[in-house]
């Protein structure tokens, strides 16, 4: 490294300067496509959804009656179903993901760590439709017995019992939730793991030096440091669960109803769109696009909130 | 020392043993054995953490075993090349049109999303560092990564299919929309790792910014960019929802991306999984095996590249 390099000014032909500006402009345009696409999604889909939204008014959001042959379109049952299966997915995926992330960062010996992170990568690499195929042909046939058994035990319990009563069906809200849980586990794991990795080594060592057991070190040093990041990770998982289509569609049972029975069939926004779009036309098709707009809005809100939380956590840690 | 634990937490640290009466002073290590309660809690937590790994790994193992055993039964060269039987009831190969469709559609999506995504990442990291528009684009590309794949399908349906009809290209557009944010964010992450010295050295030699980027920064980051892009391709290859309303279906090979309906492995799995015929279901398993092998191949190549050529 010499320190006597002359400044490059004036040595370049003007042509190169123009090339430089063009390249800069091209890269800016490419960056701008992200904004353009997102804007275009919102505009073009809302436009196509308008006929149905105008016909139904606010009822589109508040009515649970979905009867295309009568021209009635209410999305509430699907919004409800989307929320229920996402909630079930989170109930299972969050503890498991945090457990795996802790295993990878705090517990596992190095060699095992590598194996487990390969397994998690594999879990993420399997396409959603393959989980759906397995869910509909294998899992839903086997799991009915388990539902029956759980139903017999829990149905008489007051309050909670309502969730588990009624005839158990292999294709149900609960099965869809389980499949989704499997699919969002790698996402939540990856982000929580990154966050656990940023806990300063000094704090963990300090906890251990004070005589803390490993669990006490995790509770006292790792969790408090990572709380906001973990919330963000869970919300990103939620966003993914809400929009995940194919796997859930195959096992959810496709029944547009609002019911507390988790072991019964239901329906969710993405699966309705996936199954009914092909046979729809006119207002019906417009109504399905409107469901897509609702889904888009829900996931955008959840994802934005999640990103804000995750980014703020990162800034706080960097500062 | 004890404050370094409690301070960032902003609340009393629960880590200091079971004795809750503890105040500021750290308890010295006495050498006495840990109380039974603490030891039990620690062991329970460790076991539960290990159990979490099993809870995730066991279903995955089941899925893979089924795909390999059921799909392996029909998987052979004829399965990969022959047309889809006219009658879904009939046993026998093939998934040829779907294999070709997946490769063509994913390939076309890659050709669109990768250059666009890399250039966008160049803008974010090389030009837009601190500017607000770049910050907005960065944030929104994260948000875009969370847009459900079926919404991308509907979007392409409204802006493309309604005008030009279904085709493999329409599917490629939808997949490219899905890949774009992944390519941008992974590429930007790699560009950020390129040492500043390299850029400064190039500038000091008289190269303009664009020349520095094209001949110094991108080559240095190329392995990382490649592996990130391959992961995006793997993700796109497995997607079904964006293809449902964009490519239609076909039983014979359609090598023309721009005209006529097409099909893909993922779409065929989705359709055949709903059919009550064992022959169709077996073809779905075979297609699932093919798709997983394809995705794994891409993922493994990506891992090898990123492991071998990581910057620093």
């Amino acid at each position: 490294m010499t320190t006597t390099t002359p400044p490059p000014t004036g040595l370049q032909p003007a042509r190169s300067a123009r090339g430089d500006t063009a390249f800069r402009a091209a890269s800016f345009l490419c960056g701008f496509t992200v904004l353009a696409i997102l804007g275009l999604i919102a505009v073009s889909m809302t436009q196509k959804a308008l006929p149905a939204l105008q016909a139904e008014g606010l009822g589109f959001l508040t009515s649970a009656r979905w009867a295309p042959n009568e021209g009635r379109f209410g999305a509430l049952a699907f919004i409800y179903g989307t929320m229920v299966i996402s909630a079930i997915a989170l109930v299972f995926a969050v503890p498991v993901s945090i457990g795996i992330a802790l295993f990878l960062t705090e517990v596992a010996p190095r060699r095992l760590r590598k194996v487990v992170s390969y397994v998690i990568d594999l879990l993420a690499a399997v396409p959603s439709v393959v989980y759906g195929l397995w869910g509909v042909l294998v899992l839903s046939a086997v799991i009915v017995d388990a539902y029956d058994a759980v139903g017999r035990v829990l149905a008489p319990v007051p309050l909670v019992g309502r969730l588990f009563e009624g005839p158990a069906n292999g294709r149900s809200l609960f099965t869809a939730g389980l499949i989704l849980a499997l699919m969002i586990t790698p996402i939540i794991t990856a982000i929580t793991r990154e966050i656990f990795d940023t806990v300063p080594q000094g704090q963990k060592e300090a906890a251990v030096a004070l005589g803390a057991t490993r669990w006490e070190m995790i509770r006292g040093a790792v969790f408090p440091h990572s709380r906001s990041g973990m919330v963000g990770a869970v919300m990103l998982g939620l966003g993914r669960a809400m929009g995940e289509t194919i796997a859930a569609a195959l096992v959810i049972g496709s029944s547009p109803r609002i019911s507390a029975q988790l072991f019964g069939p239901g329906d969710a926004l993405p699966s309705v769109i996936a199954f009914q779009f092909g046979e729809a036309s006119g207002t019906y098709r417009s109504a399905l696009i409107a469901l897509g707009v609702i889904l888009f809005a829900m996931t955008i809100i959840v994802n934005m909130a999640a990103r804000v939380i995750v980014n703020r956590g990162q800034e706080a840690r960097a500062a | 020392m004890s404050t370094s634990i409690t301070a960032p937490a902003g609340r009393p640290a629960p880590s200091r043993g079971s004795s809750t009466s503890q105040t500021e002073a750290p308890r010295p290590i006495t050498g006495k054995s840990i109380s039974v309660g603490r030891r039990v809690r620690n062991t329970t937590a460790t076991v539960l953490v290990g159990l979490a790994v099993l809870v995730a790994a066991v279903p995955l193992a089941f899925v893979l075993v089924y795909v390999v055993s059921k799909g392996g039964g029909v998987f052979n060269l004829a399965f990969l090349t022959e047309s889809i039987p006219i009658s879904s009831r009939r046993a026998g190969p093939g998934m040829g049109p779907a294999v070709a469709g997946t490769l063509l559609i994913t390939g076309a999506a890659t050709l669109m999303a990768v250059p666009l995504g890399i250039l966008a990442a160049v803008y974010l990291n090389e030009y837009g560092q601190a500017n607000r528009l770049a910050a907005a684009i960065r944030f929104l590309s994260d948000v875009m990564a969370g847009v459900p794949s079926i919404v991308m399908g509907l979007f392409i349906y409204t802006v493309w299919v309604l005008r030009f009809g279904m085709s493999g290209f329409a599917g490629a557009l939808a997949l490219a929309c899905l890949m774009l944010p992944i390519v941008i964010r992974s590429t930007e992450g790699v560009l950020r790792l390129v040492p500043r010295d390299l850029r400064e050295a190039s500038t000091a030699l008289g190269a303009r910014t664009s020349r520095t980027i094209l001949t110094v920064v991108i080559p240095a980051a190329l392995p990382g960019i490649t592996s990130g892009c391959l992961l995006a391709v793997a993700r796109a290859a497995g997607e079904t929802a964006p293809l449902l309303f964009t490519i239609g279906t076909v039983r014979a090979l359609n090598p023309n991306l721009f005209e006529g309906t097409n099909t893909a492995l993922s779409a065929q799995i989705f359709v055949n999984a709903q059919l009550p015929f064992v022959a169709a279901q077996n073809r779905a398993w075979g297609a699932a095996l093919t798709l997983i092998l394809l995705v794994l191949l891409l993922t493994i190549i990506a891992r090898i590249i990123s492991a071998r050529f990581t910057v620093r």
Side-chain angles (χ1 to χ4, degrees):
Chain A
M1 272 291 206
T2 52
T3 49
T4 52
T5 323
T9 37
L11 295 174
Q12 302 271 324
R15 193 166 54 87
S16 167
R18 233 176 289 140
D20 203 49
T21 319
F23 183 75
R24 187 190 170 124
S27 78
F28 170 74
L29 270 183
C30 291
F32 195 74
T33 46
V34 172
L35 302 185
I37 291 175
L38 276 178
L40 205 58
I41 293 176
V43 171
S44 74
M45 283 183 50
T46 315
Q47 193 194 350
K48 297 289 180 219
L50 226 46
L53 291 174
Q54 275 167 345
E56 285 290 333
L58 206 59
F60 193 82
L61 284 176
T62 56
S63 157
R65 185 158 159 68
W66 181 265
N69 42 2
E70 299 165 29
R72 308 303 305 167
F73 302 103
L76 194 61
F78 309 133
I79 299 174
Y80 169 81
T82 297
M83 286 176 168
V84 169
I85 61 173
S86 306
I88 296 172
L90 286 186
V91 164
F92 286 94
V94 169
V96 169
S97 307
I98 291 175
I100 299 172
L102 284 177
F103 185 82
L104 288 172
T105 52
E106 311 296 340
V107 177
R110 183 158 296 158
R111 206 180 295 165
L112 201 54
R113 198 171 294 184
K114 216 166 196 179
V115 175
V116 171
S117 62
Y118 276 132
V119 169
I120 302 305
D121 282 345
L122 195 59
L123 198 61
V126 173
S128 116
V129 70
V130 175
Y131 286 118
L133 177 71
W134 179 74
V136 70
L137 293 184
V138 182
L139 183 66
S140 63
V142 181
I143 209 165
V144 185
D145 296 334
Y147 288 167
D148 277 330
V150 173
R152 267 198 298 280
V153 178
L154 289 181
V157 180
L159 286 176
V160 200
R162 292 199 44 206
L163 298 175
F164 305 103
E165 65 188 13
N169 194 326
R171 301 189 192 180
S172 61
L173 293 170
F174 203 84
T175 314
L178 286 180
I179 295 276
L180 286 186
L182 207 53
M183 303 186 53
I184 63 174
T185 295
I187 301 165
I188 306 182
T189 303
I191 301 168
T192 31
R193 181 190 178 181
E194 263 172 42
I195 289 157
F196 289 163
D197 268 334
T198 62
V199 177
Q201 195 61 29
Q203 290 187 20
K204 295 197 273 190
E205 279 164 7
V208 173
L210 289 170
T213 61
R214 184 154 54 203
W215 173 237
E216 288 159 354
M217 180 267 284
I218 289 169
R219 275 189 50 188
V222 177
F223 280 168
H225 191 273
S226 327
R227 196 167 306 132
S228 73
M230 281 155 74
V231 172
V234 169
M235 289 183 67
L236 283 179
L238 173 65
R240 182 76 194 277
M242 291 194 315
E244 183 47 59
T245 309
I246 296 300
L250 283 170
V251 296
I252 200 168
S254 300
S255 157
R257 57 178 202 150
I258 297 186
S259 156
Q261 298 167 6
L262 300 182
F263 294 158
D267 219 335
L269 291 166
S271 34
V272 184
I273 304 172
F275 278 131
Q276 302 189 1
F277 201 79
E279 63 202 49
S281 60
T283 321
Y284 187 8
R285 181 156 283 189
S286 165
L288 289 170
I289 295 177
L291 293 184
V293 174
I294 296 177
L295 184 63
F296 180 64
M298 283 167 67
T299 47
I300 285 277
I301 291 168
V302 169
N303 274 301
M304 280 191 171
R307 285 297 168 187
V308 168
I309 294 172
V310 170
N311 292 350
R312 193 182 295 158
Q314 271 166 1
E315 275 157 30
R317 250 173 269 124
Chain B
M1 267 314 250
S2 79
T3 49
S4 74
I5 306 174
T6 52
R11 56 155 205 170
S15 71
R16 265 174 285 139
S18 52
S19 53
T20 45
S21 61
Q22 278 272 323
T23 47
E24 305 311 311
R27 193 170 60 175
I29 301 166
T30 56
K32 258 194 283 176
S33 64
I34 304 165
S35 75
V36 178
R38 292 176 61 202
R39 205 179 311 149
V40 167
R41 244 170 291 155
N42 188 45
T43 314
T44 316
T46 311
V47 169
L48 284 179
V49 161
L51 216 58
V53 176
L54 279 186
V55 166
V58 166
L60 174 68
F62 269 112
V63 171
L64 292 180
V65 164
Y66 267 95
V67 169
V68 170
S69 69
K70 293 244 184 186
V74 296
F75 187 82
N76 53 34
L77 192 65
F79 183 82
L80 293 179
T81 53
E82 280 184 23
S83 294
I84 304 166
I86 305 291
S87 161
S88 299
R89 263 167 235 268
R90 210 178 336 155
M95 275 289 151
V99 176
T102 292
L103 294 178
L104 278 172
I105 294 167
T106 317
T110 309
L111 286 182
M112 288 185 274
V114 164
L116 209 63
I118 291 178
L119 270 182
V122 163
Y123 171 72
L124 291 184
N125 196 60
E126 307 296 322
Y127 291 113
Q129 280 290 0
N131 106 29
R132 286 177 91 170
L133 184 65
I137 291 176
R138 194 173 291 131
F139 178 76
L140 285 177
S141 63
D142 276 343
V143 171
M144 188 176 169
V147 171
S149 56
I150 192 154
V151 171
M152 291 301 185
L154 281 177
F155 164 59
I156 296 301
Y157 175 85
T158 57
V159 298
W160 184 271
V161 176
L162 281 178
R163 288 188 189 92
F164 307 105
M166 293 187 177
S167 65
F169 184 71
L173 280 176
L175 290 187
C177 287
L178 274 180
M179 290 171 67
L180 184 64
I182 312 178
V183 173
I184 292 178
R185 294 302 273 155
S186 70
T187 305
E188 198 201 349
V190 183
L191 289 180
R192 201 176 300 151
L193 291 179
V194 176
R196 223 171 71 204
D197 300 358
L198 282 181
R199 292 188 186 87
E200 282 168 0
S202 171
T203 311
L205 288 172
R208 286 185 186 274
T209 321
S210 61
R211 202 181 159 83
T212 303
I213 292 168
L214 288 173
T215 59
V216 175
V217 179
I218 289 188
L222 203 56
I225 295 176
T226 315
S227 89
C229 290
L230 282 174
L231 289 177
V233 175
R235 167 92 196 278
E239 279 292 348
T240 316
L243 304 180
L244 287 179
F245 333 121
T246 50
I247 64 169
T249 188
V250 72
R251 288 184 187 271
L253 182 74
N254 176 8
N256 188 342
L257 261 182
F258 297 94
E259 233 167 288
T261 54
N262 218 314
T263 193
L265 285 168
S266 54
Q268 285 297 326
I269 300 172
F270 181 62
V271 171
N272 284 299
Q274 300 168 55
L275 294 176
F277 316 120
V278 177
Q281 292 175 359
N282 282 340
R283 275 193 292 276
W285 288 112
L289 180 60
T290 316
L291 191 55
I292 286 191
L293 288 177
L294 180 69
V295 169
L296 275 189
L297 189 70
L298 289 168
T299 313
I300 290 170
I301 295 174
R303 293 260 169 256
I304 291 175
I305 292 176
S306 75
R308 194 160 292 176
F309 306 99
T310 318
V311 185
R312 280 192 297 177

